[in-house]
Amino acid sequence: QSALTQPASVSGSPGQSITLSCTGIGSDIGDHNYVSWYQQLPGEAPKLLIYDVTKRPSGVSDRFSGSKSASTASLTIAGLQAEDEADYFCSSYRNPKSVLFGGGTRLTV
Amino acid sequence: EGRLVQSGAEVKKPGESLKISCQGSGYRFNTQYIGWVRQMPGKGLEWMGTIYPDDSETTYSPSFQGQVTISVDTSISTAYLQWSSLKAPDTAMYYCASRYSRYDPFDSWGQGTLVTVSS
């Protein structure tokens, strides 16, 4: 199973907005809205940031937002803060019953 | 919110067997899917497979089918990931995570179990 494609690294300055991309194919991201994003801080387990393309779990800052166009999902982080420095992984459901992860993007602030 | 607690770090030799665990609490364990995710050193997340505790229905990633076994003991709200013969490339952090349905995200994660396979 091919992973979803994410850029290996991105960087930004404090206060800036940045967008991370996640590209799949028609049978995963392009086929439905079951796309999620996870943040992994150094030495910690992943944490759910965004699900169903645009929804935020309770407690997640509204600086994080998600979107999708065709087979590419995006995570936008507004007002970058030093604490946002982490690895970010996208994930998608793929029929039947499978889960795909992206290779991850390391964000440097 | 539910909590998942995993068993401790393991150091094994190639060829040895291993079973690691993931115990759920604070929610109805039987009715949420438990998935296992591998993270090799410095690498990304890889979905290995998912089990539905209520009926033990298990789905494996093609990359891990036949390489590992996922099981569950509902009497103690615990899911397991096991190997019959470890290899050095199995060295990784392994996470369990739960979700409400096969379409939902993994919203609760265990702390991870580090497995080191070395001669």
Side-chain angles (χ1 to χ4, degrees):
Chain A
Q1 265 183 327
S2 301
L4 306 173
T5 301
Q6 297 183 249
S9 63
V10 296
S11 62
S13 302
Q16 188 181 5
S17 286
I18 199 158
T19 297
L20 282 58
S21 65
C22 171
T23 302
I25 59 177
S27 60
D28 42 69
I29 291 180
D31 195 40
H32 54 68
N33 288 327
Y34 302 120
V35 179
S36 51
W37 289 87
Y38 300 88
Q39 178 193 58
Q40 187 176 34
L41 297 170
E44 295 189 11
K47 170 192 167 186
L48 179 64
L49 275 184
I50 297 286
Y51 67 101
D52 293 355
V53 178
T54 62
K55 298 176 183 176
R56 276 189 311 275
S58 172
V60 172
S61 171
D62 60 4
R63 295 189 299 107
F64 296 93
S65 62
S67 62
K68 189 188 85 166
S69 176
S71 296
T72 297
S74 299
L75 172 71
T76 297
I77 309 173
L80 270 178
Q81 300 178 2
E83 67 203 47
D84 298 330
E85 192 160 285
D87 293 325
Y88 292 84
F89 296 92
C90 60
S91 179
S92 171
Y93 172 79
R94 174 184 275 182
N95 277 320
K97 305 181 183 181
S98 293
V99 176
L100 290 179
F101 284 103
T105 297
R106 175 151 295 177
L107 171 63
T108 302
V109 180
Chain B
E1 187 177 294
R3 186 169 178 238
L4 299 172
V5 177
Q6 298 185 229
S7 50
E10 301 274 1
V11 179
K12 292 289 189 179
K13 291 181 167 34
E16 292 185 332
S17 63
L18 175 64
K19 192 173 189 178
I20 62 175
S21 67
C22 168
Q23 185 171 42
S25 63
Y27 72 100
R28 287 191 64 194
F29 179 80
N30 284 24
T31 57
Q32 288 195 30
Y33 292 77
I34 296 283
W36 286 95
V37 177
R38 182 175 79 174
Q39 187 168 36
M40 298 177 78
K43 301 297 183 183
L45 305 176
E46 299 172 271
W47 173 71
M48 302 175 72
T50 301
I51 190 165
Y52 187 62
D54 205 42
D55 61 8
S56 295
E57 181 189 7
T58 308
T59 303
Y60 292 96
S61 161
S63 301
F64 292 93
Q65 179 85 47
Q67 308 304 308
V68 296
T69 301
I70 295 171
S71 61
V72 67
D73 184 342
T74 55
S75 69
I76 54 172
S77 300
T78 300
Y80 301 96
L81 176 66
Q82 69 179 89
W83 296 259
S84 58
S85 181
L86 286 161
K87 308 177 187 59
D90 292 321
T91 295
M93 182 72 81
Y94 293 87
Y95 294 101
C96 65
S98 65
R99 55 180 179 162
Y100 287 96
S101 79
R102 64 170 64 102
Y103 306 108
D104 286 319
F106 290 115
D107 61 347
S108 183
W109 292 69
Q111 81 277 21
T113 296
L114 180 62
V115 174
T116 303
V117 184
S118 174
S119 54

